[in-house]
Amino acid sequence: MIPAGFEYHRPGDIASAIGILQEHGDEARVIAGGHSLIPMMKLRMAEMGHLVDLQAIDELKGIEISAETVSLGAMVTQHELITHDGLAAAIPLIREAALQIADPQVRYVGTVGGNVANGDPGNDMPGLMQCLNATFELSGPDGTRSVAARDFYEAAYFTAREDEEILTRISIPVPGAGVGQAYEKQKRKIGDYATAAAAVMVGNGQASVAMTNLADTPVWSESASNALADGDVSGCVAAMLDAIDPVADNRGPVEFKKHVAAVMLRRAIERAQSRAG
Amino acid sequence: MNDQTMTPEERAANLKGLGSSRKRVEDVRFTQGKGNYVDDIKLDGMLFGAFVRSPYAHARVVSVNKDAAMAVPGVVAVLTAEDLAPLGLHWMPTLAGDKQMVLADGKVLFQGQEVAYVVAENRYIAADAAELVEVDYEELPVLTDPFEALKSDVVLREDLAGQTEGAHGPRKHHNHIFTWEQGDKDATEAVLGEADVVAEEMVYYHRTHPCPLETCGCVASMDKVTGKLTLYGTFQAPHAIRTVVSLISGLAEHNIRVISPDIGGGFGNKVGAYAGYVCSVVASIVTGQPVKWVENRMENLMSTAFARDYWMQGKIAATKDGKITGLWCHTTADHGGFDACADPTKFPAGFMNICTGSYDIPTAYLAVDGVYTNKAPGGVAYRCSFRVTEAAYFIERMIEVLAIKLNMDAAELRRINFIRKDQFPYQSALGWEYDSGDYHTAWDKALKAVDYEGLRAEQAQRIEDFKAGKTRKLLGIGLTHFTEIVGAGPVKNCDILGLGMFDSCEIRIHPTGSAIARLGTISQGQGHATTFAQIIASEIGLPADDITLEEGDTDTAPYGLGTYGSRSTPVAGAATAMAARKIRAKAQMIAAYLLEVHDDDVEWDVDRFSVKGAPERFKTMKEIAFAAYNQAIPGLEPGLEAVSYYDPPNMTYPFGAYICVMEIDVDTGEWDVRQFYALDDCGTRINPMIIEGQVHGGVTEALAIAMGQEIAYDEMGNVKTGTLMDFFLPTAWETPNYTTDHTVTPSPHHPIGAKGVGESPNVGGVPAFSNAVHDAFRPFGLVQSHMPHDHWRIWKIANGLGMHG
């Protein structure tokens, strides 16, 4: 479990980091918490000549909360998401989901930016961000641009981010008062990816539902969300089952995953509804 | 020292001897990160080895090109079978009478098999260079199913072509290894034919892996000046390893020093010999420099010894009232590409013939067929005595299956079939003499402790609620009464590679009344340094805190067969008591001389000899120790030392009653262990705290095995569970709370009556968890379902029973 050799870079600002990416092209990768990338490097499934560590870039840190928007720096750790009182008050769903990611040791180091940017279908935050209708800010040689979380994911490990871009911040609209939220996740054990997970917001005549690890991208379904907004739980579940496309793995066969997906979604809806209004 | 105001009880308490929950002396270094494991060993000029492993489960190795790897700066050597062949080391003997490739000799038989060994200046260079070794493979048909392997034309072991006689008798097919039969086949079949009731079921105990926290590794250091090889390694049997290394390398045994430093768990994984040891030794001899090899986690899971993989077809016969009349078992044992089971020589299926369990079964028959497949070799006793957990799982499932057939309560069915207390020593139908037991007392205590009647009433209500749509959770009550066979074993029928399975202890008392004891065993977390000192403390009256324990260095420790199969306390613990008694016998003569009385006129009193009838006249062991070194005592040699090599007259038979209460979500397959009660009877209890720790650890491993842990292969022979993401190791989160309890039925033949406990919780735990799952679904028609009971397999049970609407 020893990775191939690489050059290590530790830039102090975003511009320098982009400069390194520009210089080395697809030979370079940024690393945040490293909990996805380092195992892949140790398995030699990811080999790169240059590793750009983002830990020293202060611009990528910090949680900012206003009445309308929550802004998360890409390097905010899961632990910070969990322990930030203002965030828990503004969007309790984030804390609830973050608590179900891995274990405390991982959460001290794992970042929200790394979690959403890597494009791993097993990660919890992408589905959550789609449910919350978050926007990702990307910085590259040509400046910054924003991409909606719902438009970001193309396939497993493939996203709208260009090689020379860095995901720098996440902004999330604060759900209105009375919106119930819930994150429901089935996993085999602590530290495991979801067998199936559901993020649900419902209330004030609106709803949003997204699911994790049931396709090669997170799945946010407009028709499922609309059905739930109309109070049609069965329609919501049916629409979501139509949208997901799970594959068999050690967690179980497709038939099982679809069944569990429906169970998780129903439970998340029930809990979110109980918190609404 | 001569304080006469202390009562004998107070003096005994000061010794921290038998029965004391003395804190583990090892933990001072372990909890501070000051342990000394193999990977902590750093020698001047040390090189590192790394393996090139086969990505295929069955393939011909057409060529191996080392050029690119050798061109990497810092690479010292790349070894292949061709390099080892002139030394005769490209194959090595296994513990099961088979042989195994050290490096691929023309073909590979399992994914992860060792193909080449790269030696470099550091482990990073070795890893890089291993990637550059070019191996040309030609894929061959893969056999992962032992039943198919026995029918297939594909010959896995071409080296054995035409050999119809194996190490354990005739081979019936080119992929067949052995047939092992015990008991009376004709009589058992006659009983089955005449019985009121016969229950039949296939019980599969899936392949899993011991997965110790520390993986396997070694450091080989050949000193070309002295001609002495020092081999540090994660060895559960250092002395046997020394003998094996001597036999296969041709080095004289006195020129080999094997050292097992601290070991981070073994669980059977570190009993056998691995290619890494042989290659490291050869590399050190060739280069003249020390060579370290430490496998990574994936290598450990994929290539070192697995456990279980037994397909056990069972038939159990009974009267209509539930009295068992016969047991029949045919096991198909998947051994992988080589037969590298770690069993005593005469027991190719270990002690599987303990499968009559805790029950008085008058007639029984067992046959085991060993089979080659394209999987990793092994078949070790993962926290159990040889194949005992398979046997216990088999009988405890068959009892449940019979209870279903009889429509009886499974607790009552057990009770009416237990061997009675007055039947011990009990001769089993499959050839064992159980030393002692009191199963009814333990069973009644267990059922009462969990309020068994109350649990069944709650379960009945739950079933009603479920049927009424009020809940989606089922309640399962998993019962187990297991009997183990440990402490291998009597030299007359137990040996490994011809080495009798005795064990040893040497004790030296220092002049000031402290001591050092050395044993032929080696702790891997069991706490030998704590508990064996307690045995000595009680035997000779010196405080356990003043006794140092040493194990694992073959240059200093007496010869022994090592630590596995719960044998340390039954065998080495007995040797320790016997050596201590020799010291006490000499001490008695010294005391009598000092007190100027006849030897027979002094008597032992906790920590001293006193004159019979005059307890105020005494000599403490501490005083006696000093006298042994500074006085010329007529007729006695100076010094106070003893050694004992103990050949146990019989095995010991620990037993226990475990009950698991589990909640099961039929919609997701998720489970939650609400209660786990473990009653163990391991005979005399040396250190209750350590016993409790052993039980907690063993039940947790049992939880892992029963509820998710497996080494799974796809049809191409790829390992699907090669990382800890997919190979289930419970964390604190998944681990339930346990309630421990005990009864004490001493072994009549062991010097202190102890039986061994480290493996009982794994043996008893697995059927308790599995039976809980089965019990939850029994009212809905489930008879038998295979482990591991992970979420989707539990869901599949519910789905198959039509419980998802």
Side-chain angles (χ1 to χ4, degrees), chain A residues 1-4 43-44 186-193 250-253 255-256 259-260 263-264 267, chain B residues 123-124 127-128 131 296 298 665 667-668 670 720 724-728 731 733-734 791-792 795 804:
Chain A
M1 305 296 269
I2 293 173
L43 292 166
R44 298 197 175 216
Q186 179 168 350
K187 56 187 172 187
R188 295 172 299 179
K189 59 177 179 181
I190 287 295
D192 194 16
Y193 292 128
N250 288 326
R251 293 176 187 83
E255 191 191 8
F256 166 67
H259 186 103
V260 165
V263 174
M264 289 301 110
R267 287 183 185 174
Chain B
R123 54 178 35 143
Y124 306 98
D128 285 347
E131 293 278 302
N296 67 35
M298 289 180 74
D665 183 328
D667 292 320
T668 62
E670 290 169 303
K720 291 162 67 182
L724 297 185
M725 174 66 88
D726 288 312
F727 184 85
F728 177 39
T731 67
W733 186 265
E734 290 86 17
H791 294 166
W792 86 262
W795 175 87
H804 293 142

Side-chain angles (χ1 to χ4, degrees), chain B residues 306-323:
Chain B
F306 76 93
R308 328 301 192 223
D309 216 348
Y310 260 29
W311 292 90
M312 301 172 285
Q313 184 73 34
K315 297 176 197 173
I316 188 164
T319 66
K320 59 184 187 314
D321 303 323
K323 188 79 190 79

Side-chain angles (χ1 to χ4, degrees), chain B residues 221-542:
Chain B
S221 179
M222 183 71 194
D223 184 328
K224 290 209 167 175
V225 176
T226 62
K228 185 146 185 167
L229 171 72
T230 305
L231 180 60
Y232 305 85
T234 49
F235 309 129
Q236 290 183 238
H239 300 273
I241 288 282
R242 187 186 70 190
T243 302
V244 170
V245 169
S246 175
L247 290 173
I248 68 176
S249 71
L251 294 172
E253 201 167 358
H254 71 281
N255 274 335
I256 304 168
R257 179 182 185 189
V258 174
I259 299 174
S260 294
D262 284 331
I263 297 181
F267 311 114
N269 186 235
K270 295 167 179 172
V271 173
Y274 293 123
Y277 307 158
V278 178
C279 290
S280 303
V281 168
V282 170
S284 182
I285 291 172
V286 170
T287 63
Q289 287 171 271
V291 177
K292 178 186 279 188
W293 166 73
V294 177
E295 61 181 7
N296 67 35
R297 179 62 58 192
M298 289 180 74
E299 291 179 300
N300 179 254
L301 287 172
M302 286 174 70
S303 70
T304 55
F306 76 93
R308 328 301 192 223
D309 216 348
Y310 260 29
W311 292 90
M312 301 172 285
Q313 184 73 34
K315 297 176 197 173
I316 188 164
T319 66
K320 59 184 187 314
D321 303 323
K323 188 79 190 79
I324 299 168
T325 53
L327 180 72
W328 180 97
C329 177
H330 180 268
T331 295
T332 302
D334 185 340
H335 285 228
F338 307 94
D339 186 9
C341 281
D343 293 316
T345 304
K346 290 170 195 154
F347 296 88
F351 303 154
M352 181 62 196
N353 54 332
I354 193 71
C355 66
T356 52
S358 308
Y359 311 102
D360 182 15
I361 301 178
T363 312
Y365 170 70
L366 165 71
V368 182
D369 280 302
V371 184
Y372 290 122
T373 61
N374 289 121
K375 298 181 189 170
V380 293
Y382 169 10
R383 202 169 185 148
C384 71
S385 193
F386 316 98
R387 300 293 185 183
V388 173
T389 184
E390 287 92 328
Y393 184 63
F394 170 74
I395 185 64
E396 289 302 297
R397 281 303 311 143
M398 290 309 294
I399 290 284
E400 295 281 321
V401 168
L402 179 62
I404 292 169
K405 190 102 179 178
L406 290 162
N407 196 25
M408 263 184 89
D409 177 80
E412 183 59 18
L413 179 61
R414 283 179 173 84
R415 185 201 311 274
I416 63 176
N417 285 291
F418 281 144
I419 300 162
R420 295 187 319 273
K421 189 179 175 183
D422 58 81
Q423 287 176 284
F424 292 94
Y426 173 81
Q427 199 68 40
S428 82
L430 292 177
W432 296 115
E433 186 185 292
Y434 292 32
D435 59 349
S436 64
D438 183 356
Y439 301 161
H440 286 95
T441 298
W443 195 236
D444 290 344
K445 187 174 183 184
L447 295 180
K448 190 168 175 225
V450 300
D451 182 20
Y452 181 67
E453 296 301 321
L455 283 173
R456 285 292 176 205
E458 183 187 349
Q459 187 187 40
Q461 181 62 48
R462 183 71 70 89
I463 293 161
E464 265 186 44
D465 290 349
F466 183 87
K467 288 177 174 166
K470 291 182 195 165
T471 181
R472 296 293 289 167
K473 283 196 176 171
L474 302 179
L475 187 68
I477 303 162
L479 304 174
T480 289
H481 190 289
F482 64 92
T483 295
E484 264 210 294
I485 171 169
V486 306
V491 172
K492 65 178 185 284
N493 57 7
C494 288
D495 71 271
I496 285 184
L497 291 176
L499 305 169
M501 295 182 72
F502 61 85
D503 227 292
S504 59
C505 176
E506 175 196 278
I507 303 172
R508 296 181 186 176
I509 311 295
H510 306 315
T512 54
S514 62
I516 183 167
R518 294 189 171 102
L519 288 86
T521 45
I522 176 69
S523 185
Q524 307 125 40
Q526 291 89 343
H528 290 175
T530 307
T531 51
F532 289 141
Q534 291 180 248
I535 296 175
I536 299 169
S538 282
E539 291 289 343
I540 65 173
L542 293 176

Side-chain angles (χ1 to χ4, degrees), chain A residues 14 58-77 80-81 84 86-88 90-91 94 112-113 116 125 129 132-139 146 167-175:
Chain A
I14 292 173
D58 286 342
E59 302 159 75
L60 296 175
K61 294 177 181 168
I63 297 172
E64 291 160 19
I65 297 171
S66 71
E68 294 82 29
T69 308
V70 164
S71 172
L72 305 174
M75 292 299 285
V76 167
T77 64
E80 289 170 305
L81 295 179
H84 194 284
L87 182 62
I91 313 179
I94 293 176
V112 65
V116 298
M125 286 291 162
M129 294 303 165
L132 289 167
N133 199 19
T135 304
F136 301 151
E137 198 170 293
L138 303 169
S139 292
S146 293
L167 191 151
T168 53
R169 289 200 90 77
I170 300 166
S171 60
I172 309 165
V174 175

Side-chain angles (χ1 to χ4, degrees), chain B residues 437-777:
Chain B
D438 183 356
Y439 301 161
H440 286 95
T441 298
W443 195 236
D444 290 344
K445 187 174 183 184
L447 295 180
K448 190 168 175 225
V450 300
D451 182 20
Y452 181 67
E453 296 301 321
L455 283 173
R456 285 292 176 205
E458 183 187 349
Q459 187 187 40
Q461 181 62 48
R462 183 71 70 89
I463 293 161
E464 265 186 44
D465 290 349
F466 183 87
K467 288 177 174 166
K470 291 182 195 165
T471 181
R472 296 293 289 167
K473 283 196 176 171
L474 302 179
L475 187 68
I477 303 162
L479 304 174
T480 289
H481 190 289
F482 64 92
T483 295
E484 264 210 294
I485 171 169
V486 306
V491 172
K492 65 178 185 284
N493 57 7
C494 288
D495 71 271
I496 285 184
L497 291 176
L499 305 169
M501 295 182 72
F502 61 85
D503 227 292
S504 59
C505 176
E506 175 196 278
I507 303 172
R508 296 181 186 176
I509 311 295
H510 306 315
T512 54
S514 62
I516 183 167
R518 294 189 171 102
L519 288 86
T521 45
I522 176 69
S523 185
Q524 307 125 40
Q526 291 89 343
H528 290 175
T530 307
T531 51
F532 289 141
Q534 291 180 248
I535 296 175
I536 299 169
S538 282
E539 291 289 343
I540 65 173
L542 293 176
D545 289 346
D546 294 346
I547 301 166
T548 296
L549 256 285
E550 253 186 37
E551 300 174 301
D553 183 341
T554 59
D555 265 10
T556 58
Y559 203 98
L561 266 281
T563 295
Y564 41 87
S566 280
R567 64 185 302 279
S568 296
T569 294
V571 190
T576 303
M578 298 307 273
R581 285 172 194 181
K582 290 181 185 177
I583 284 175
R584 201 167 82 188
K586 183 171 178 182
Q588 180 168 4
M589 292 188 268
I590 297 171
Y593 172 79
L594 296 174
L595 292 163
E596 298 177 337
V597 295
H598 191 272
D599 291 354
D600 295 338
D601 290 334
V602 293
E603 60 186 357
W604 180 246
D605 175 22
V606 182
D607 57 357
R608 62 192 62 178
F609 280 103
S610 55
V611 176
K612 286 178 182 169
E616 72 286 357
R617 292 185 59 208
F618 62 84
K619 289 292 172 187
T620 65
M621 191 52 115
K622 209 163 173 164
E623 293 169 314
I624 295 166
F626 201 66
Y629 288 90
N630 79 346
Q631 294 210 23
I633 300 171
L636 284 180
E637 291 178 359
L640 197 51
E641 301 184 6
V643 61
S644 169
Y645 287 80
Y646 188 79
D647 177 11
N650 190 6
M651 310 283 186
T652 62
Y653 296 76
F655 61 93
Y658 286 8
I659 298 173
C660 171
V661 183
M662 190 185 287
E663 301 266 358
I664 290 175
D665 183 328
V666 298
D667 292 320
T668 62
E670 290 169 303
W671 45 267
D672 179 41
V673 176
R674 189 175 88 181
Q675 185 181 2
F676 197 100
Y677 170 88
L679 179 151
D680 276 283
D681 192 320
C682 57
T684 302
R685 291 156 57 83
I686 298 168
N687 182 321
M689 181 198 70
I690 283 187
I691 291 171
E692 191 179 6
Q694 287 275 27
V695 173
H696 284 197
V699 179
T700 304
E701 281 183 327
L703 171 90
I705 294 167
M707 305 311 291
Q709 187 178 86
E710 67 176 321
I711 296 290
Y713 291 83
D714 68 14
E715 68 281 1
M716 298 298 293
N718 297 309
V719 179
K720 291 162 67 182
T721 52
T723 75
L724 297 185
M725 174 66 88
D726 288 312
F727 184 85
F728 177 39
L729 278 193
T731 67
W733 186 265
E734 290 86 17
T735 303
N737 286 316
Y738 305 119
T739 306
T740 57
D741 203 348
H742 63 275
T743 56
V744 177
T745 312
S747 169
H749 63 77
H750 187 281
I752 61 168
K755 289 187 169 188
V757 74
E759 301 174 327
S760 297
N762 198 323
V763 171
V766 171
F769 289 113
S770 181
N771 283 347
V773 174
H774 284 90
D775 184 71
F777 289 102

Side-chain angles (χ1 to χ4, degrees), chain B residues 22-34:
Chain B
R22 180 185 185 220
K23 285 194 176 158
R24 284 164 43 102
V25 296
E26 296 90 341
D27 290 347
V28 176
R29 66 179 189 278
F30 291 153
T31 55
Q32 296 183 29
K34 300 285 166 104

